[in-house]
Amino acid sequence: MKIISSPLELKEYLKGENNSIGFQGSKSIGFVPTMGALHQGHISLIKKAKEQNELVVVSIFLNPTQFLKGEDLDKYPKKDEADKKICKLSGVDVLFFPHVEDIYGTDEVTLSAPNVRGYVLEGNSRPSHFNGVLTVVMKLLNIVTPTRAYFGKKDAQQLNLISLMVKQLFMNTQIVPVDTVRESDGLALSSRNVYLSSKERVEALKVSSSLRAASSMVGKNILDSKEIVKEMRKSLGDLEIFYVEVLNLDFEQLLHVEIGNTIILVEVRVGTTRLLDNIWL
Amino acid sequence: MKIISSPLELKEYLKGENNSIGFQGSKSIGFVPTMGALHQGHISLIKKAKEQNELVVVSIFLNPTQFLKGEDLDKYPKKDEADKKICKLSGVDVLFFPHVEDIYGTDEVTLSAPNVRGYVLEGNSRPSHFNGVLTVVMKLLNIVTPTRAYFGKKDAQQLNLISLMVKQLFMNTQIVPVDTVRESDGLALSSRNVYLSSKERVEALKVSSSLRAASSMVGKNILDSKEIVKEMRKSLGDLEIFYVEVLNLDFEQLLHVEIGNTIILVEVRVGTTRLLDNIWL
């Protein structure tokens, strides 16, 4: 596995890889951007990228611009050596591991999230968060120029906004959504789960069980969003709820679940930790 | 000459052109984005693109998002048929002529100009102008994926910000600056010159003569920015001046002209028409 920290060196390396195949063009490149602290969720992204592409690039970059002041940038889990091992064992071809100053300069052109879809849900409680996400993803996609880039469905709004960016700005990468990976008891994997105390870890299970409750209602043909949200809020008990929403794939509110076109999303705070989860129906 | 209005059709066409060359990759593409009303300035961009690339794409798109409310979007000169002829005669391979709805949807991800360099000079008097410029140029570059894109030095701040965008966002196009083309009496060519009455046309010559005055001072080794600006303001007489600035190529103010690293910029209003001009020393 090649480890590269310089964007220009990575560009050169990938150009060389592409030329090495000679006649009629380019190797397909699968790209998995991460912030490190890799877990089985990331591994499933890498697996999918391996299946679908000739060359797999993973980036590890703790992106400062997507953290608001006072958020957990400084205490975000770092596991550089373990992450490298995971990438190597997962068959990653190139690990892109830049420093902040490789990616950001001063007084820069940035991306701005859409006025409506960028400022609901997560974007409502973290107003400049998605500008930072879109800016770094744009930079990374332009450095790696992947055929396909892989994002988890767990961060559904992030996935939605990145897909919008790629479509609206006519970018030349296919965005591939990958299913959420869960612990056996239902908790969605997240690098931030390490923040949870053992008591909070138990509380956190209410999130996935609220979604299972929703799913089971839909199974019984109860499709009314209000009823579903009410039931979910009951399951969530006394957790601090940021939102519980029933949306279509364009992130517009739905009065009724439309099978094949619905995401039910929830965000809560357990202790000091924000937890996101969702199901796609 | 192929004329295409759909972004996806253009992408497909260019992909086909690239494959047609067969073995070892891609034709070089030179791209000249314009808002139409083509003049000799545009033709010099096209010529340069022809010299340096195997395939030349010109776009004509009157971009609404770079006009502020109350500006001249509605009366901006349109010369569609003449423009097509000019492109054909200039040896353009593909003319990209999209409609507004081919380029823009609703609630979109946009580009934001840098907080400092995006809001001086032109960006000071037209605050959201460069966000619109950067957004449309990003879209066009992603559609055309040119090897090189050509921009006139006359719009120096636009050129500077587009170069910054390409560098900071790691885009894969080379930005090529092209010298300003002038009438024989010195007036810099601009599609907006048609707005000038014959009396205003005479007044407008003060702009280029103020720059010639500056240039002649530098020739005499008078390099002090204050002195130069003072002399230029004298040449501009009673024209309404937006700014007269001596900057380095990074758009930072210079106390003294640095040969090889200086742009002297001026913007005035003649009648209702904004006129920009500059020299690079």
Side-chain angles (χ1 to χ4, degrees):
Chain A
M1 183 177 74
K2 187 94 184 159
I3 302 180
I4 296 177
S5 68
S6 145
L8 297 185
E9 195 187 326
L10 179 59
K11 278 194 183 196
E12 281 308 306
Y13 180 80
L14 293 172
K15 210 189 276 176
E17 279 294 307
N18 265 337
N19 285 341
S20 75
I21 205 170
F23 169 68
Q24 267 295 0
S26 327
K27 277 188 191 172
S28 57
I29 299 176
F31 178 45
V32 181
T34 82
M35 299 214 298
L38 303 182
H39 51 62
Q40 287 296 334
H42 299 106
I43 293 173
S44 80
L45 300 175
I46 296 172
K47 260 190 197 154
K48 193 105 174 207
K50 289 283 291 177
E51 281 166 32
Q52 299 184 334
N53 304 276
E54 292 161 273
L55 196 86
V56 171
V57 181
V58 170
S59 66
I60 295 182
F61 181 63
L62 185 56
N63 175 39
T65 66
Q66 71 189 70
F67 290 81
L68 278 69
K69 265 190 192 129
E71 289 188 346
D72 57 341
L73 175 61
D74 295 332
K75 64 167 189 167
Y76 196 88
K78 271 200 181 180
K79 300 181 172 181
D80 294 356
E81 291 315 308
D83 288 347
K84 283 180 196 170
K85 254 182 221 158
I86 288 173
C87 287
K88 206 170 168 186
L89 289 171
S90 308
V92 170
D93 298 292
V94 184
L95 177 57
F96 180 46
F97 212 140
H99 305 284
V100 172
E101 58 273 21
D102 293 318
I103 299 297
Y104 289 109
T106 52
D107 197 32
E108 293 208 317
V109 174
T110 56
L111 276 288
S112 293
N115 289 330
V116 179
R117 281 171 285 195
Y119 292 89
V120 294
L121 307 178
E122 186 81 351
N124 180 42
S125 41
R126 306 176 70 191
S128 68
H129 169 66
F130 286 119
N131 298 343
V133 169
L134 294 175
T135 300
V136 81
V137 170
M138 163 71 80
K139 288 182 186 231
L140 292 170
L141 292 178
N142 285 340
I143 294 166
V144 177
T145 62
T147 319
R148 301 177 190 85
Y150 297 80
F151 293 89
K153 286 183 174 177
K154 184 177 154 288
D155 295 310
Q157 192 178 9
Q158 167 178 288
L159 171 60
N160 173 267
L161 292 173
I162 290 169
S163 302
L164 279 182
M165 173 175 79
V166 165
K167 191 179 161 206
Q168 294 171 340
L169 299 181
F170 301 98
M171 295 170 69
N172 299 291
T173 289
Q174 186 193 338
I175 300 301
V176 183
V178 179
D179 287 339
T180 301
V181 178
R182 299 177 180 282
E183 306 275 9
S184 55
D185 59 9
L187 184 69
L189 293 194
S190 162
S191 303
R192 288 188 167 102
N193 288 351
V194 299
Y195 297 156
L196 298 169
S197 69
S198 53
K199 201 180 144 224
E200 289 167 354
R201 175 75 183 62
V202 175
E203 284 291 291
L205 290 177
K206 289 178 183 166
V207 175
S208 52
S209 57
S210 77
L211 290 167
R212 278 200 307 277
S215 176
S216 125
M217 288 173 80
V218 172
K220 287 173 201 151
N221 215 28
I222 305 167
L223 304 178
D224 183 80
S225 301
K226 262 197 195 153
E227 280 189 60
I228 292 170
V229 169
K230 197 174 152 199
E231 190 59 33
M232 286 179 69
R233 288 185 169 267
K234 219 166 23 176
S235 309
L236 292 166
D238 54 359
L239 292 184
E240 182 188 348
I241 298 172
F242 290 108
Y243 55 79
V244 176
E245 294 279 358
V246 179
L247 304 181
N248 66 17
L249 297 187
D250 285 326
F251 269 64
E252 296 157 339
Q253 291 210 319
L254 285 177
L255 293 177
H256 297 90
V257 168
E258 297 171 4
I259 298 299
N261 186 33
T262 300
I263 315 179
I264 302 180
L265 306 100
V266 50
E267 183 177 9
V268 300
R269 180 146 51 197
V270 178
T272 58
T273 307
R274 285 169 177 282
L275 294 175
L276 292 175
D277 203 351
N278 58 68
I279 43 167
W280 301 48
L281 294 168
Chain B
M1 183 178 73
K2 185 98 185 157
I3 302 180
I4 296 177
S5 68
S6 145
L8 297 185
E9 194 186 327
L10 179 60
K11 278 194 183 198
E12 282 307 308
Y13 180 79
L14 293 172
K15 210 189 278 176
E17 279 295 307
N18 265 338
N19 286 340
S20 74
I21 205 170
F23 168 67
Q24 267 296 359
S26 327
K27 277 188 191 171
S28 57
I29 299 177
F31 178 45
V32 181
T34 82
M35 298 213 299
L38 303 183
H39 51 64
Q40 287 295 334
H42 300 105
I43 293 173
S44 80
L45 300 175
I46 296 171
K47 259 190 196 154
K48 193 104 174 207
K50 289 283 291 178
E51 281 165 31
Q52 300 184 333
N53 303 277
E54 292 161 271
L55 196 87
V56 170
V57 181
V58 170
S59 66
I60 295 181
F61 180 62
L62 185 55
N63 174 39
T65 66
Q66 71 188 71
F67 290 81
L68 277 68
K69 265 192 192 127
E71 288 189 347
D72 57 340
L73 175 60
D74 295 333
K75 65 167 189 165
Y76 197 88
K78 271 198 183 184
K79 300 180 170 181
D80 293 357
E81 290 315 309
D83 288 346
K84 282 180 197 169
K85 254 182 220 158
I86 289 172
C87 287
K88 207 170 166 185
L89 288 171
S90 308
V92 169
D93 299 292
V94 184
L95 178 57
F96 180 46
F97 213 140
H99 305 283
V100 172
E101 58 273 21
D102 293 318
I103 300 297
Y104 290 109
T106 52
D107 197 33
E108 292 208 318
V109 174
T110 56
L111 276 288
S112 294
N115 289 330
V116 179
R117 282 172 283 197
Y119 292 89
V120 294
L121 307 177
E122 187 82 351
N124 181 41
S125 40
R126 306 176 71 191
S128 67
H129 169 67
F130 286 120
N131 297 343
V133 170
L134 294 175
T135 300
V136 80
V137 170
M138 163 71 80
K139 288 181 186 232
L140 292 170
L141 292 178
N142 285 339
I143 294 167
V144 178
T145 62
T147 319
R148 300 177 190 84
Y150 297 79
F151 293 90
K153 286 183 175 177
K154 186 178 151 289
D155 295 310
Q157 192 177 10
Q158 167 178 288
L159 171 60
N160 173 265
L161 291 174
I162 290 169
S163 302
L164 279 183
M165 173 175 79
V166 165
K167 191 180 161 205
Q168 294 172 338
L169 299 182
F170 301 97
M171 295 170 68
N172 299 291
T173 289
Q174 186 192 339
I175 300 301
V176 183
V178 179
D179 286 341
T180 302
V181 177
R182 299 177 181 282
E183 306 277 11
S184 56
D185 59 8
L187 184 70
L189 294 192
S190 162
S191 304
R192 289 188 167 102
N193 287 351
V194 298
Y195 298 155
L196 298 169
S197 70
S198 53
K199 203 180 143 223
E200 289 167 351
R201 175 75 180 64
V202 174
E203 284 290 291
L205 290 177
K206 290 179 183 165
V207 175
S208 53
S209 56
S210 77
L211 290 168
R212 278 200 307 278
S215 175
S216 125
M217 288 173 82
V218 173
K220 288 173 201 151
N221 215 28
I222 304 168
L223 304 178
D224 183 80
S225 301
K226 264 196 195 152
E227 281 189 61
I228 292 171
V229 168
K230 198 176 151 197
E231 191 59 34
M232 287 179 68
R233 287 185 169 269
K234 218 166 24 175
S235 310
L236 292 167
D238 54 0
L239 292 184
E240 181 189 348
I241 300 172
F242 290 109
Y243 56 79
V244 177
E245 295 278 357
V246 179
L247 305 181
N248 67 17
L249 297 186
D250 286 327
F251 271 62
E252 296 158 338
Q253 291 209 319
L254 286 176
L255 293 176
H256 297 90
V257 168
E258 297 171 5
I259 300 297
N261 186 33
T262 301
I263 315 178
I264 302 180
L265 307 100
V266 52
E267 183 176 8
V268 300
R269 180 148 49 197
V270 177
T272 58
T273 308
R274 284 169 177 280
L275 293 175
L276 293 176
D277 203 351
N278 57 69
I279 44 167
W280 301 48
L281 294 168

